[in-house]
Amino acid sequence: MKKLLSFIIIILLVSSCVKVKDRDIATTTDNFNRQLILNNWVNNLVIPAYADFKIKMDNLKLESTAFVNTPTTDTQQELQVAMFEAQKVWQHVAMFELQSSNGTRIYMNTYPIDRETSTNPSPNSNEDDRTLEANLSESLTEINNISFENTSGTIDEQGFPALDYLINKENSLSKFTDNETAENYKTYLNKVVDRMVDLTNRANTYWTTNASTIIANSGSSATASFDKMANDYINYVEQGFRENKIANSSGKRDGIENILAVEGYYSSENSKIYFNEAFKAVKNFYYGTSYDGTKTNEGIKDYLDYLNAEVYISSENKDVKISEQIDAKFSEIENTVATLNDDFVIQVTEDNSKMYNAFNVVQEYVVLIKTNTFQALNVKIDYVDSDGD
Amino acid sequence: MNTIKDYIQNNTTKAASLAAFRILFGVLMLTSLIRFVAMDWVEQLYVLPKWHFTYYGFAWVQTLGMYTYGLFALAMLACVGIVLGYKYRLSIILFFLCFTYIELIDKTTYLNHYYFISVLSFLLCFLPLNATFSLDALKKGIQYTYVPKWTVDSIKLVLGIVYFYAGLAKLNSDWLLRAQPLKIWLSTKTDLPIVGQFMNQSWFHYAMSWSGALYDLSIPFLLLIRKTRPFAFVAVVVFHVFTRVLFNIGMFPYIMICATLIFFDSSLHQKLLKHIQKTLIIPTNVKVSVQENYRYKQPKNILFVISLFLIIQLFLPFRNLCYPGELFWTEQGYRFSWRVMLMEKAGYTTFTVKDSVSGKQFHVKNSDFLTSFQIKQMSFQPDFILEYAHLLGDHFKSQGHQNIQIFAESYVALNGRLNQLYINPKVDLYKEEEGFHNKTWILPLNDEIKGF
């Protein structure tokens, strides 16, 4: 019996060691999946995209300074182009949120301006530009005192939507030339652009300095990089992509069409371009395609195929590869979006049902990722690593 | 009848078995509670969430907020009492109440092994685990050598039920013929040393599924038979250690390994006690009068309660037979029935609040009300979905909304099947009531799972 007891003790000790060892190994020699994917994501998607975004934002700052110094149609146009270029690249970094617990996205691109952000009954019903306009009509000191750092209150009076309002709205040039409004508009514009440059620099620095740490944290847990980035990704597809770009303006959720909620409302001729850039980023992350589009390395697709991940379709009594299902969803999204007008304001006004169609196909992708795909990859979708059965 | 009477009245076994069990149980529970607090789970599971999902009939069990820590402290104190055998009856009752209360606060955290602890500690309230090797015996000056054999056997029966029923539940087509959900769970574990290479291979998934079912079904019997017992215990240790390495299941493997020691001969338990005595240098020459047999003061009442309890334990797991539809899909009768590790289920469920008169509607952002863990659990369990719909309805009503209707859009994927619509999106869940009746608003699974 003594033997048996010592046997138990040895086994228990060994088992606790094995567990510890297993954690070590998970972070060092996970030879296919997570480490390689993380490396690809960080080095070929995030960092080059942020580097390019920083270039575009620096240029935006230059053009906005030029415009503030001499507001003319020419400088305004150049600023508008700079903004358009920046907002296009923005679509490629919007999903990466590791850098800030409060999020960068909500400060950069919450639209429409003056939007209620929490669950709020009929949140779209009383949106307008009033708060932003009120800000602009305050005294210079008060404008200078506005803090853009709050998590609530000011998130929709800054970033791209505010910039769009300031420089793309009808007659906006006159606001910068008219003595009554010029000082306020110039000050506010500077404030908005500086804030965006600041957010960009912070995020860019975060990713370049922490790249190796992020890649090294390649285990499987709620706090591992893979799980966190995958969660940020799907959050983006849900909130930044599906809700913001399609659902809000079409009124999919509340039955109330709201053209003000189209991304870049005052330059809405670009709205489909932004959508397609974002869609490209959504696909890049999944396939592991680099930001410049030149190479495709390890991504979620390779991981799924490596695991032989399949779903059983009972009506056809067969197993189908999850990656094939996802390919099909992507082409459905592509085909549906191809039918949309380049200007989503026109699309919502003229034939909103097509926006609903677009919503539905994106929704199918979200569901497929959040259920079957995350199951197959063992992605933890909650932030507590509690025990299972 | 006479043999039963004889068994109850005259069959005895060494009290040392119960004492050894008491000490192991107390130490493991204390460790579990400390671990729970150290992991910050009290904060994340009981303090931070705005809303909690309650058990039907136990909605009155509310979180105590920060005072939940007090509940844990009380349970830990009770564990110390259990280990020492000091005011044992009070300690074990206190432990049972505190532990069960904590579990009842929020069914998001439901685990079969937590339920097992509640069941076991309830039983232990009625057994003389302090008959020997306890401060109670020392204080009273009496310790007993023997206790009725049924006291030890009832613990064995509870353990046997857990294993055997878990085995029965594995006899279904998903587990045996599709090797699900093990296929999903094991596939990502290729980075484990030595066994990692097999983790993504089909034969391994089937081998694990079949041997797991066989293990659960046979282990209670192999533990009962003296000849197979050492072999069975090795199997217990190997099985649980393996599950510990593969899955995130906390203390459960250790608890089961220690609990199955009860099946051994009392000589082992005596040796264990002696060993403890030696290592802790507990004096042996204290003045305690030794008596032969422990006798219950009111054996009939105790036996009645325990028999009733065991009968409930035998039949409760089969209550799913009262409901139509796939058990894994509808989960009607799924909990409290030792269905362990049978499902890999994930859902995506969102809600729309509608004014039935004006037609105005809006979408609910789940993260405004629930933690990510709660959202995950809510998304594939119908009773959660219904309770959440009511919480939402009541919340928006209190904000002044009228004619509220709540609709769910829900997709669920079960055991490697492609996700499908889960809840009838046309049903106003705010009008549906929780109860023991069949939930007709759950859409049927487009497939059939054969077996238990």
Side-chain angles (χ1 to χ4, degrees):
Chain A
M1 278 301 138
K2 237 186 191 154
K3 267 188 212 158
L4 195 65
L5 270 180
S6 41
F7 170 72
I8 303 162
I9 290 163
I10 288 169
I11 286 285
L12 290 181
L13 283 176
V14 167
S15 76
S16 41
C17 294
V18 166
K19 190 62 196 167
V20 173
K21 226 176 157 189
D22 145 46
R23 277 210 188 112
D24 286 346
I25 281 169
T27 53
T28 53
T29 64
D30 193 344
N31 45 17
F32 166 74
N33 32 48
R34 303 194 168 209
Q35 182 117 35
L36 287 176
I37 297 175
L38 284 172
N39 187 46
N40 186 33
W41 280 345
V42 173
N43 285 322
N44 298 327
L45 277 80
V46 186
I47 290 180
Y50 256 115
D52 193 22
F53 187 53
K54 185 174 156 46
I55 293 171
K56 300 293 191 291
M57 284 307 298
D58 289 344
N59 184 49
L60 179 74
K61 176 65 193 166
L62 286 178
E63 299 296 350
S64 108
T65 311
F67 174 65
V68 166
N69 290 342
T70 39
T72 64
T73 326
D74 282 350
T75 53
Q76 185 192 15
Q77 247 172 27
E78 272 158 30
L79 177 55
Q80 286 168 340
V81 171
M83 176 190 154
F84 169 67
E85 292 299 331
Q87 195 159 357
K88 252 171 53 181
V89 181
W90 160 253
Q91 310 299 333
H92 290 266
V93 295
M95 66 178 70
F96 304 118
E97 289 271 57
L98 286 189
Q99 67 271 15
S100 156
S101 55
N102 292 330
T104 299
R105 189 165 76 236
I106 56 165
Y107 295 113
M108 277 289 204
N109 203 20
T110 291
Y111 53 94
I113 38 183
D114 297 339
R115 156 173 181 203
E116 304 279 349
T117 47
S118 64
T119 294
N120 184 303
S122 318
N124 286 342
S125 59
N126 53 4
E127 278 165 10
D128 49 39
D129 302 335
R130 272 180 298 193
T131 321
L132 186 56
E133 277 162 6
N135 282 347
L136 285 165
S137 60
E138 280 171 355
S139 72
L140 261 185
T141 345
E142 277 168 327
I143 291 180
N144 280 319
N145 284 340
I146 296 171
S147 165
F148 282 155
E149 307 261 343
N150 290 337
T151 24
S152 61
T154 61
I155 59 165
D156 47 4
E157 285 128 39
Q158 57 180 307
F160 284 112
L163 190 56
D164 183 45
Y165 176 91
L166 292 170
I167 65 168
N168 285 327
K169 201 181 174 196
E170 229 170 83
N171 300 327
S172 52
L173 180 57
S174 66
K175 304 279 185 188
F176 288 84
T177 50
D178 190 327
N179 278 341
E180 256 181 48
T181 52
E183 274 312 298
N184 281 8
Y185 268 70
K186 285 176 179 176
T187 312
Y188 202 85
L189 176 64
N190 275 333
K191 215 175 149 77
V192 168
V193 172
D194 288 344
R195 166 76 169 155
M196 291 170 77
V197 169
D198 180 46
L199 283 168
T200 308
N201 289 342
R202 267 195 264 168
N204 188 45
T205 311
Y206 173 87
W207 282 96
T208 44
T209 48
N210 292 295
S212 52
T213 328
I214 294 166
I215 296 167
N217 181 15
S218 65
S220 167
S221 76
T223 51
S225 296
F226 183 86
D227 301 72
K228 279 161 85 177
M229 287 184 76
N231 274 299
D232 284 349
Y233 170 71
I234 198 61
N235 278 342
Y236 170 74
V237 178
E238 282 189 76
Q239 195 56 48
F241 190 61
R242 182 197 63 197
E243 293 301 307
N244 292 358
K245 292 187 199 298
I246 304 283
N248 290 347
S249 57
S250 66
K252 171 71 192 172
R253 299 305 193 180
D254 55 13
I256 302 166
E257 290 170 16
N258 180 14
I259 49 170
L260 279 171
V262 167
E263 183 173 18
Y265 170 73
Y266 297 103
S267 49
S268 63
E269 66 277 8
N270 298 327
S271 48
K272 189 173 167 181
I273 296 176
Y274 296 147
F275 180 92
N276 278 328
E277 279 299 321
F279 182 41
K280 200 175 173 190
V282 167
K283 284 191 288 188
N284 284 353
F285 187 86
Y286 170 77
Y287 289 110
T289 305
S290 60
Y291 168 66
D292 59 13
T294 54
K295 52 180 185 271
T296 296
N297 291 331
E298 297 82 4
I300 293 178
K301 179 191 154 53
D302 304 77
Y303 198 2
L304 285 170
D305 289 342
Y306 168 78
L307 295 171
N308 267 323
E310 293 177 329
V311 282
Y312 177 69
I313 301 178
S314 47
S315 57
E316 299 165 31
N317 189 25
K318 64 172 184 191
D319 291 306
V320 180
K321 282 173 117 183
I322 294 181
S323 60
E324 283 173 16
Q325 290 278 311
I326 292 177
D327 288 343
K329 295 293 167 220
F330 279 148
S331 23
E332 276 176 47
I333 297 174
E334 217 160 286
N335 295 338
T336 313
V337 172
T339 67
L340 297 181
N341 192 294
D342 286 346
D343 187 332
F344 284 0
V345 170
I346 297 174
Q347 188 62 57
V348 169
T349 323
E350 288 182 354
D351 185 1
N352 198 24
S353 67
K354 282 189 180 157
M355 293 295 276
Y356 277 31
N357 294 343
F359 176 92
N360 292 339
V361 285
V362 175
Q363 174 79 332
E364 283 174 31
Y365 175 68
V366 169
V367 173
L368 189 58
I369 292 289
K370 280 206 131 174
T371 59
N372 296 104
T373 309
F374 276 10
Q375 281 180 322
L377 302 181
N378 188 26
V379 174
K380 308 277 186 301
I381 56 167
D382 61 83
Y383 303 104
V384 187
D385 266 324
S386 54
D387 288 342
D389 246 336
Chain B
M1 246 359 239
N2 274 337
T3 41
I4 294 179
K5 211 173 172 187
D6 187 51
Y7 165 75
I8 288 170
Q9 290 183 342
N10 302 325
N11 268 19
T12 57
T13 187
K14 286 269 173 63
S17 298
L18 289 183
F21 191 80
R22 187 195 78 225
I23 292 168
L24 284 174
F25 179 81
V27 169
L28 282 167
M29 288 308 107
L30 188 59
T31 319
S32 302
L33 290 169
I34 293 172
R35 173 171 173 267
F36 203 97
V37 175
M39 298 285 231
D40 199 30
W41 289 343
V42 181
E43 181 80 10
Q44 291 174 22
L45 303 176
Y46 299 116
V47 181
L48 288 181
K50 269 187 227 170
W51 291 350
H52 291 282
F53 290 96
T54 57
Y55 290 92
Y56 183 56
F58 289 92
W60 52 272
V61 178
Q62 292 287 318
T63 176
L64 306 180
M66 286 309 284
Y67 298 107
T68 313
Y69 281 105
L71 214 52
F72 273 81
L74 215 54
M76 288 180 202
L77 201 67
C79 285
V80 175
I82 292 167
V83 173
L84 299 176
Y86 177 69
K87 294 194 188 298
Y88 168 73
R89 185 82 12 123
L90 178 72
S91 298
I92 187 74
I93 292 174
L94 191 64
F95 176 81
F96 165 73
L97 291 177
C98 290
F99 189 90
T100 308
Y101 189 95
I102 293 165
E103 290 319 309
L104 287 174
I105 293 173
D106 195 333
K107 66 187 170 196
T108 311
T109 60
Y110 173 81
L111 290 180
N112 282 294
H113 73 252
Y114 291 150
Y115 173 56
F116 170 69
I117 298 303
S118 280
V119 165
L120 185 62
S121 57
F122 178 80
L123 176 68
L124 296 185
C125 292
F126 300 94
L127 306 183
L129 265 62
N130 56 346
T132 186
F133 204 71
S134 67
L135 287 183
D136 286 346
L138 184 71
K139 217 173 61 180
K140 240 170 98 185
I142 306 168
Q143 68 176 17
Y144 302 91
T145 316
Y146 293 96
V147 289
K149 189 164 187 300
W150 63 260
T151 56
V152 176
D153 286 349
S154 59
I155 299 177
K156 291 182 192 171
L157 181 61
V158 165
L159 273 166
I161 290 174
V162 173
Y163 276 120
F164 189 72
Y165 279 41
L168 274 185
K170 289 185 172 70
L171 302 181
N172 67 70
S173 52
D174 271 15
W175 184 270
L176 298 174
L177 304 180
R178 298 179 58 237
Q180 289 284 17
L182 283 186
K183 192 183 203 128
I184 298 178
W185 289 339
L186 297 180
S187 291
T188 53
K189 313 273 183 197
T190 45
D191 52 323
L192 284 176
I194 308 162
V195 286
Q197 52 185 316
F198 307 124
M199 287 297 160
N200 203 1
Q201 296 179 12
S202 236
W203 68 267
F204 188 71
H205 306 148
Y206 283 95
M208 290 292 285
S209 293
W210 283 73
S211 55
L214 210 61
Y215 167 84
D216 278 342
L217 285 171
S218 61
I219 207 71
F221 305 104
L222 296 178
L223 282 167
L224 276 175
I225 302 165
R226 182 185 292 271
K227 271 193 175 169
T228 52
R229 195 174 297 145
F231 155 75
F233 188 69
V234 172
V236 167
V237 174
V238 169
F239 175 83
H240 284 295
V241 166
F242 204 53
T243 57
R244 176 74 183 83
V245 173
L246 285 176
F247 306 113
N248 197 16
I249 46 179
M251 294 291 295
F252 185 58
Y254 306 119
I255 293 168
M256 287 312 268
I257 289 171
C258 291
T260 47
L261 285 172
I262 192 78
F263 282 92
F264 279 89
D265 200 78
S266 53
S267 60
L268 175 76
H269 307 131
Q270 276 175 314
K271 273 181 194 153
L272 185 71
L273 295 182
K274 262 210 191 98
H275 190 73
I276 294 171
Q277 196 158 26
K278 255 197 251 164
T279 26
L280 300 180
I281 325 170
I282 300 168
T284 42
N285 56 347
V286 282
K287 278 177 201 151
V288 180
S289 77
V290 179
Q291 292 195 6
E292 272 291 284
N293 291 333
Y294 176 88
R295 290 199 186 284
Y296 275 99
K297 283 190 194 102
Q298 290 166 311
K300 276 188 184 154
N301 294 352
I302 299 281
L303 275 168
F304 175 75
V305 173
I306 292 182
S307 310
L308 188 69
F309 171 70
L310 291 176
I311 288 167
I312 292 173
Q313 285 302 313
L314 283 171
F315 287 99
L316 192 67
F318 291 110
R319 72 191 186 285
N320 63 296
L321 297 173
C322 306
Y323 297 99
E326 284 298 341
L327 171 64
F328 291 1
W329 188 246
T330 68
E331 298 201 29
Q332 302 189 105
Y334 190 82
R335 280 181 218 115
F336 314 120
S337 59
W338 313 121
R339 291 186 164 82
V340 189
M341 308 202 88
L342 292 174
M343 298 196 307
E344 169 54 41
K345 216 172 170 189
Y348 180 73
T349 302
T350 53
F351 295 81
T352 299
V353 181
K354 203 170 183 174
D355 181 327
S356 61
V357 177
S358 72
K360 273 190 184 167
Q361 63 178 55
F362 58 93
H363 189 65
V364 175
K365 199 170 161 194
N366 290 333
S367 56
D368 284 352
F369 302 102
L370 305 179
T371 65
S372 52
F373 184 39
Q374 288 175 318
I375 294 173
K376 176 178 131 188
Q377 296 288 334
M378 176 279 291
S379 293
F380 62 84
Q381 299 183 71
D383 55 338
F384 281 70
I385 291 172
L386 182 63
E387 186 173 358
Y388 183 45
H390 277 266
L391 287 168
L392 286 173
D394 294 345
H395 169 76
F396 288 115
K397 199 179 215 167
S398 74
Q399 287 202 336
H401 292 265
Q402 287 165 341
N403 318 310
I404 292 176
Q405 294 179 305
I406 312 269
F407 299 94
E409 183 185 4
S410 177
Y411 300 89
V412 170
L414 169 66
N415 285 351
R417 292 175 180 80
L418 183 64
N419 65 76
Q420 66 160 91
L421 204 57
Y422 190 50
I423 301 295
N424 187 338
K426 295 197 172 70
V427 169
D428 171 13
L429 292 174
Y430 201 37
K431 282 208 181 60
E432 300 296 326
E433 291 300 330
E434 183 56 74
F436 291 121
H437 55 273
N438 183 35
K439 294 179 169 66
T440 51
W441 37 268
I442 307 172
L443 296 171
L445 176 70
N446 296 333
D447 198 7
E448 190 190 351
I449 303 169
K450 294 190 181 68
F452 274 97

